[in-house]
Each structure stands twice: as structure tokens, then as C-alpha cells.
Amino acid sequence: MSEVLDNIVNCDIAIESPVEDSASFDTIMIIGDRPLDGAKDLKGIDRYVSLAEVADAGWKEEDAIYKAARAAFLQEHKPEFIYIAVRQQAALETPDGEDETVGAAVKDKERLLNPEKFLETVKRAIGQAGWYGLALAGAEDTDISEVAGLIESTERLFAFSTREKKNPLLGKDYMRTFGVYSESADEYAHVAWLAEGFSYDPGSETWAYKTLRGVTASGLSTREMRDLEEECLNYYIPCAGRNITRNGRTVGGEWIDVIRFRDWLKNRMQIRVFELFVANPKIPYLDTGITLVENQMRAALQEGQKAGGVAETEFDVNGKPIEGYTVTVPRAASLSSAQRASRTLRDCKFTARLAGAIHIAELKGNLTY
């Protein structure tokens, strides 16, 4: 570079690092017992990119974790990776009366059969960023109930399967937990469904009419299907030569895809506004600064439209437009001095129409000569 040129035209170019977004809406966390055999030193929570890695860590085909991982990696749209969190071993009393914590390398299998509750493992796993859907391997109804209550206070999803036609969580109104009826506990239908559902971008999918590899469809009567729906349980059945999932609702009755899309949209809007604050020396508390915030809200909603979660602008019978979303922000002049001095911008609001999905069609017609 010429020093003379630098003296004439002084040019500095900064490389801005993007804000790291650790949120994930397509990754599964499986929780279960550590392998009884194998001396490998497992991490409490680790990432696995294939079923072979799961087997290499020590889990065998008869182990619940292995079966759950197989259900995930068996799908047509298999995940890039999954997380597995192992239940830690509780403290046991040694022959000399002292307590010790049993580690992965202990050879006595009976001393390994004293794991902590699933709930305690989930509490630790929540601190691990980068996953969104939770599944338990080898859990009982009491474990499912405890974990569902905890997940409801987070921004994640929890899936379970049951061989009973009764929902252990019926009446709980949980919006982040969903169950699927399956005649085989070993096929882990809920893990397979998570893997298939997460293969689609938030807003682009419905959780109904999905085919799950390695999962046996249930031959249900129409009455049994109605009973399962009343129990807020989803199911997997054969129909017209294909096996499909039906419904796609949470225990509380909301659509699974709506909850996932809402979490995604919230994250996108937060990240966009945060990037705005980071990328600028300051955002003035004037109409120009408020407009910058408004623009990021609109940009996130436009992303939601493109993804298929937010409805596009439509027109009624009179040609009047029905907007997919609206955004309102305050004018700087309407705010008090105290509000402006607080440096907190309030009353930035939006309304968006969900695009939804068609699950059932009623067709009527006439044949004439």
C-alpha cells in the first residue's frame, strides 16, 4: 500500500463480528441411563452425530438410550446430531460405612442401578444451550409428569409416548408437552416424531401427516381415535397405503407447530433488535431511533412470512387488504421526560395472523347427466 495514498485518502474498514445466536429449534436432547458396560468416561451431556457414536460410547442395542437414538437417526430427514444427557449415579454406602459417588468405570452393575431422578438430570440439561426438543428414555409416568411441569416454564418442547390410551397429563393444559400413543415402547415414536418434525424450518411445517421410519402404525378404530383425541393424545395410523401421524397437538390443545414458530419468532425479533443496539454507537431516543427498532420488528415478521408461519396479505370480497401483520410504535413527542430518561422504549407492539395449516378438507359436489 502507498503511504502517499494513505495520506491523501485515509480509509479504515472494520470487520464486524455477527451476534452469536445459540438458540436452536431443531435439536433433540435425550435423557437416560449411562451404559452398564464399557469403561469409557462419558460426559454428563455430550453431542452424538450418528448411531455408531452412541454404540461406541458403550450403549448396546437393548439399552433405552440406544433405542431412542436409533429412532432419531433412522428417520428419512435424520438430525445432524443429537444431545444425550446421562443420569448421574446417587451416592451409595460403601462396606466401611463411607459414602462414595459411583462413576462410569465401576464394574459392579448393581451399584450402578441407583440413578438420580429424571427431573434432576433435566434441570442440569436446561443449562445446556443449543437444544429444543426433550425426550426421556426409559421413563415412567411419574417422571413424565414431573418433567412436563418443569419444561412448561422454559422455551422448549417435551415429547413422550405411551402404550396406554390414557394421557397421564390430561387436564394439565401444558402447551409445551405432547404425547403420542404407540403400541410399542421400544420404538420411541416420540423421538422419531421429534426428529421428523424438526427437519422442517419453524413455520413451514405441520406435525400431522408425517411418516415415521421404524415405528409401527396402530390399527385403531374410529372410536379409539376419537377417544385418544379426547385424551389429547396424538397417534400413528395406516391410511391409504401410508402410515401417518395424526393431529399434532400439545397436551393443552395448541398445535405443536404454533408453539415452535412462536418461540422462533420471539428469538428472531430479540436477536435483530439486539444486533441493532450492538452495531450502532447509540440509538437516539427520537423518532429516527424508534423507527430503527420498528424496522427490525418488521424484518422479523417478514422472515416469519417467508417461513410460512405468518399469513400473507390477503383481500376480502370487497378487495380490501387484510394485512398479515401490523406494527405500532410510539412517537417520541408523546413520551414523557421520565420515560425518555429511563432509556427504555415501551409500547412497541405487533399483531400477526398465523398462516395455519389445513388438516381436513370437506368436499361436496354433484354428478349430472
Side-chain angles (χ1 to χ4, degrees):
M1 296 263 181
S2 169
E3 292 184 4
V4 176
L5 182 59
D6 282 343
N7 290 331
I8 297 173
V9 181
N10 192 310
C11 179
D12 288 324
I13 300 177
I15 299 176
E16 296 184 3
S17 300
V19 174
E20 182 179 353
D21 183 5
S22 61
S24 167
F25 300 94
D26 59 3
T27 304
I28 300 170
M29 170 72 77
I30 298 174
I31 291 180
D33 294 336
R34 66 174 62 248
L36 292 182
D37 294 319
K40 296 207 172 181
D41 185 18
L42 292 177
K43 294 180 181 178
I45 301 174
D46 209 351
R47 206 164 75 154
Y48 298 82
V49 301
S50 67
L51 189 59
E53 275 200 356
V54 176
D56 188 57
W59 282 287
K60 296 188 168 43
E61 292 185 7
E62 62 270 19
D63 292 334
I65 284 284
Y66 185 94
K67 294 174 183 177
R70 179 177 58 193
F73 287 119
L74 192 61
Q75 300 315 302
E76 179 180 1
H77 306 108
K78 64 182 180 180
E80 181 181 350
F81 62 88
I82 62 173
Y83 282 105
I84 294 179
V86 294
R87 293 202 286 169
Q88 300 299 317
Q89 307 308 313
L92 298 178
E93 190 170 308
T94 59
D96 59 3
E98 296 179 357
D99 287 346
E100 69 175 25
T101 299
V102 181
V106 175
K107 301 299 183 182
D108 187 351
K109 292 183 180 181
E110 292 186 0
R111 295 177 55 143
L112 287 171
L113 299 177
N114 187 35
E116 65 186 356
K117 297 177 69 174
F118 276 95
L119 182 64
E120 298 306 314
T121 316
V122 173
K123 287 179 180 178
R124 284 200 309 277
I126 286 175
Q128 171 74 46
W131 65 273
Y132 184 66
L134 175 67
L136 307 181
E140 303 292 337
D141 283 353
T142 52
D143 301 311
I144 292 171
S145 181
E146 290 176 347
V147 170
L150 175 62
I151 289 297
E152 197 65 16
S153 63
T154 70
E155 293 188 353
R156 291 181 166 102
L157 291 178
F158 173 43
F160 70 92
S161 57
T162 176
R163 296 178 63 188
E164 305 296 327
K165 293 186 175 71
K166 296 290 183 181
N167 190 339
L169 302 177
L170 185 65
K172 294 291 187 179
D173 293 330
Y174 290 151
M175 296 298 180
R176 295 188 168 276
T177 297
F178 62 92
V180 55
Y181 169 75
S182 175
E183 295 175 355
S184 173
D186 289 338
E187 292 177 347
Y188 286 86
H190 58 297
V191 180
W193 204 11
L194 278 174
E196 185 62 23
F198 284 177
S199 69
Y200 300 90
D201 292 334
S204 71
E205 91 286 15
T206 173
W207 287 58
Y209 303 109
K210 299 296 179 283
T211 297
L212 309 178
R213 289 184 174 181
V215 177
T216 304
S218 302
L220 302 171
S221 66
T222 54
R223 178 52 190 262
E224 287 175 318
M225 286 187 277
R226 286 199 303 270
D227 289 345
L228 287 172
E229 290 169 9
E230 290 176 0
E231 289 288 321
C232 292
L233 283 173
N234 305 285
Y235 47 91
Y236 189 57
I237 58 169
C239 180
R242 296 195 62 173
N243 297 330
I244 57 169
T245 56
R246 283 298 308 274
N247 297 330
R249 288 186 183 273
T250 66
V251 170
E254 186 55 88
W255 301 108
I256 301 169
D257 57 275
V258 169
I259 299 298
R260 183 173 178 238
F261 176 71
R262 181 185 65 180
D263 291 344
W264 174 87
L265 181 61
K266 174 184 175 180
N267 181 72
R268 289 304 304 144
M269 198 167 289
Q270 287 178 319
I271 289 294
R272 278 189 163 276
V273 174
F274 178 68
E275 286 178 336
L276 176 70
F277 293 158
V278 170
N280 292 273
K282 80 168 184 178
I283 305 299
Y285 211 138
L286 303 170
D287 284 339
T288 53
I290 295 173
T291 299
L292 291 175
V293 174
E294 178 188 3
N295 289 342
Q296 294 306 313
M297 294 174 65
R298 291 185 179 275
L301 290 164
Q302 288 168 3
E303 284 186 75
Q305 270 187 333
K306 185 176 180 180
V310 174
E312 299 176 356
T313 298
E314 298 176 300
F315 298 87
D316 63 16
V317 293
N318 298 317
K320 182 180 178 180
I322 304 173
E323 301 292 340
Y325 64 86
T326 58
V327 179
T328 59
V329 295
R331 300 285 293 186
S334 67
L335 302 175
S336 67
S337 299
Q339 286 176 299
R340 296 176 64 160
S342 72
R343 299 199 170 187
T344 300
L345 178 61
R346 294 185 171 87
D347 295 324
C348 297
K349 301 176 181 179
F350 73 90
T351 300
R353 292 188 300 114
L354 290 168
I358 298 172
H359 283 187
I360 298 173
E362 295 183 0
L363 313 177
K364 297 181 180 180
N366 296 304
L367 295 174
T368 62
Y369 285 99

